[in-house]
Amino acid sequence: QSALTQPASVSGSPGQSITISCTGTSSDVGSYNLVSWYQQHPGKAPKLMIYEDSKRPSGVSNRFSGSKSGNTASLTISGLQAEDEGDYYCCSYAGSSTFYVFGTGTKVTVL
Amino acid sequence: EVQLVESGGGLVQPGGSLRLSCAASGFTFSRYAMHWVRQAPGRGLEYVSGISVNGGSTFYANSVKGRFIISRDNSKNTLYLQMGSLRPEDMAVYYCASWGYVETTYFDYWGQGALVTVSS
């Protein structure tokens, strides 16, 4: 049950695009199209931004997009805005013996 | 409006026990799997436990296996987490959550969290 690997921090200027990676294994990220991405602000519950690798829930800005290649999933935020600052976590289904595993988390800073 | 409201958090000594509850409203609780996710102070999210719609299947992270028990009462729309033999490393905010599909629409619901402090 090892956590998925994310960069500790990513930063960008307003209007730029950034990408957060989420590296797992062939037992989790690579096996299922079930990676979700969450945004979390201090003291708040996580908010779903992407589900099933690349689907965006209703109400989430189209500046957020998800993709996956092999054992690595990615979240891209385009047109970076100040409100995008926060912590981001990936989460993958990992089969019936492990169930779900979260990423280590990435702090996004808007410069 | 969907609400998941956790309760039962608090201060407990190492080795002690605590039971968290999560009262659900605004969605058909009995149709969906439920989960507990925790977050230690300044740390990331950790998947703790999950339970199937009828309670027949449960899952526990290795870190809590044998010490925590997840259960649900569909007649009361309530999820529980019985925590025993608590350790300082169990100190965290515990969130109850549910995610999946309502017909063709994906949903993802989280409570506001319950703080569990393990300290002597």
Side-chain angles (χ1 to χ4, degrees):
Chain A
Q1 294 178 350
S2 298
L4 308 175
T5 301
Q6 298 181 232
S9 62
V10 174
S11 62
S13 299
Q16 285 187 331
S17 292
I18 61 171
T19 297
I20 303 168
S21 61
C22 168
T23 301
T25 69
S26 58
S27 298
D28 39 62
V29 173
S31 282
Y32 310 94
N33 295 325
L34 293 173
V35 174
S36 298
W37 287 91
Y38 291 91
Q39 176 193 67
Q40 187 181 36
H41 291 131
K44 300 294 187 180
K47 175 188 175 184
L48 182 69
M49 307 305 284
I50 295 289
Y51 67 99
E52 292 180 358
D53 292 356
S54 60
K55 298 178 181 178
R56 196 170 47 247
S58 173
V60 171
S61 171
N62 59 10
R63 297 185 297 104
F64 292 83
S65 61
S67 62
K68 191 176 75 176
S69 177
N71 297 336
T72 298
S74 298
L75 174 71
T76 297
I77 309 174
S78 58
L80 200 61
Q81 299 180 1
E83 67 206 49
D84 299 332
E85 277 201 346
D87 296 320
Y88 290 79
Y89 296 91
C90 59
C91 177
S92 176
Y93 180 70
S96 59
S97 60
T98 303
F99 227 33
Y100 291 92
V101 60
F102 280 91
T104 50
T106 298
K107 183 175 183 62
V108 168
T109 301
V110 181
L111 302 172
Chain B
E1 179 194 6
V2 173
Q3 281 196 313
L4 295 175
V5 180
E6 300 95 339
S7 61
L11 173 64
V12 61
Q13 292 187 339
S17 300
L18 208 60
R19 188 177 85 158
L20 300 181
S21 300
C22 171
S25 61
F27 76 114
T28 311
F29 177 81
S30 60
R31 291 188 181 178
Y32 304 104
M34 296 295 298
H35 314 279
W36 288 100
V37 177
R38 71 183 179 183
Q39 187 169 35
R43 305 294 295 274
L45 300 170
E46 179 188 11
Y47 187 84
V48 173
S49 184
I51 188 167
S52 60
V53 295
N54 63 2
S57 295
T58 57
F59 171 82
Y60 300 95
N62 286 340
S63 56
V64 306
K65 197 173 294 183
R67 301 187 298 120
F68 289 13
I69 299 173
I70 189 173
S71 62
R72 64 190 297 164
D73 186 336
N74 287 342
S75 68
K76 295 182 178 179
N77 289 347
T78 302
L79 174 72
Y80 302 100
L81 186 67
Q82 180 68 46
M83 303 183 293
S85 302
L86 282 162
R87 306 166 180 169
E89 55 264 36
D90 295 319
M91 184 165 67
V93 173
Y94 285 74
Y95 295 100
C96 74
S98 185
W99 53 77
Y101 278 93
V102 175
E103 296 184 347
T104 59
T105 301
Y106 193 82
F107 71 91
D108 187 273
Y109 306 139
W110 291 65
Q112 84 288 350
L115 177 62
V116 173
T117 301
V118 184
S119 175
S120 54

